[in-house]
Amino acid sequence: MLPKMDPVHRISIVARGMSLGHTLIPPAADRSHETRSQMLDQLAAMLGGRAAEEVVFNEMTSGASNDIQVATRLARAMVEDFGMSPLGPINFGTQNDTDVYGNTNFFEGSNISQAMQERVDSEVKKIIDQAYKVALAIVKRERKVLDKVSVALVKEETLDRDAFEKITGPKPTK
């Protein structure tokens, strides 16, 4: 349902380790860079499980913790490393690089002020909040499809792309 996302390859409710299930979405083609819009769609997809909990159960569980962790890490990289926020094309992340004299610097943490760190954190939150709004809107709009996928997963446990797209319809081409 997200235009910049690659197609779902497999979705499963089979528990593995700490994971109660997974959705596998590998890149459809090799690419060396991700666009901001692709990353925003990825974030919305990662937050889809939490959005579904809210819509379906009006409750939250710890089940989305890994998705939230990965989404937060990506949103932070968008701001700190990729310059994809209104703060501009500045790297605010951990500084593990060479100085102007070619000496390698290894130190932990950021070399920015507390005020700027608060601005970075605020931008990360804005990105996550927007992605969550997108996820909620899709879950609400596509609730009937979500229910059909849920029923199929309870019956089959794992759906490959073909079985998934029989329920959802084919992924529109970008």
Side-chain angles (χ1 to χ4, degrees):
M1 306 302 168
L2 293 156
K4 301 286 184 172
M5 281 294 295
D6 292 302
V8 169
H9 180 71
R10 180 176 55 244
I11 184 169
S12 177
I13 58 169
V14 176
R16 301 230 190 278
M18 293 295 292
S19 171
L20 298 176
H22 71 276
T23 301
L24 180 62
I25 308 173
D30 288 341
R31 54 184 179 255
S32 58
H33 300 304
E34 297 287 327
T35 66
R36 185 174 194 278
S37 58
Q38 287 168 325
M39 288 184 213
L40 292 172
D41 277 3
Q42 289 173 19
L43 290 170
M46 288 178 210
L47 297 172
R50 171 52 62 86
E53 289 177 343
E54 182 177 329
V55 170
V56 175
F57 302 116
N58 197 30
E59 182 67 279
M60 291 182 236
T61 73
S62 60
S65 65
N66 184 259
D67 295 328
I68 293 168
Q69 180 182 35
V70 173
T72 303
R73 201 175 304 137
L74 176 57
R76 185 162 298 283
M78 290 172 70
V79 175
E80 290 183 348
D81 302 326
F82 309 144
M84 294 180 173
S85 80
L87 297 179
I90 300 170
N91 184 310
F92 296 106
T94 303
Q95 306 296 310
N96 291 331
D97 56 3
T98 56
D99 64 19
V100 294
Y101 303 107
N103 300 314
T104 302
N105 296 320
F106 294 102
F107 58 90
E108 287 298 316
S110 182
N111 201 19
I112 61 174
S113 69
Q114 182 64 35
M116 184 56 79
Q117 186 62 56
E118 289 173 8
R119 291 179 65 194
V120 167
D121 292 343
S122 175
E123 292 301 324
V124 170
K125 181 163 179 13
K126 285 178 191 175
I127 290 170
I128 291 290
D129 288 349
Q130 181 57 38
Y132 188 67
K133 283 181 186 177
V134 169
L136 270 175
I138 291 170
V139 168
K140 288 176 182 177
R141 184 184 72 228
E142 303 293 338
R143 173 66 193 269
K144 289 179 182 178
V145 174
L146 172 66
D147 291 343
K148 289 177 185 178
V149 169
S150 298
V151 168
L153 281 169
V154 168
K155 181 179 176 191
E156 302 293 330
E157 293 186 336
T158 299
L159 302 175
D160 64 12
R161 179 178 177 175
D162 291 337
F164 181 73
E165 288 186 351
K166 280 182 185 173
I167 299 167
T168 65
K171 173 77 179 158
T173 56
K174 296 177 191 176

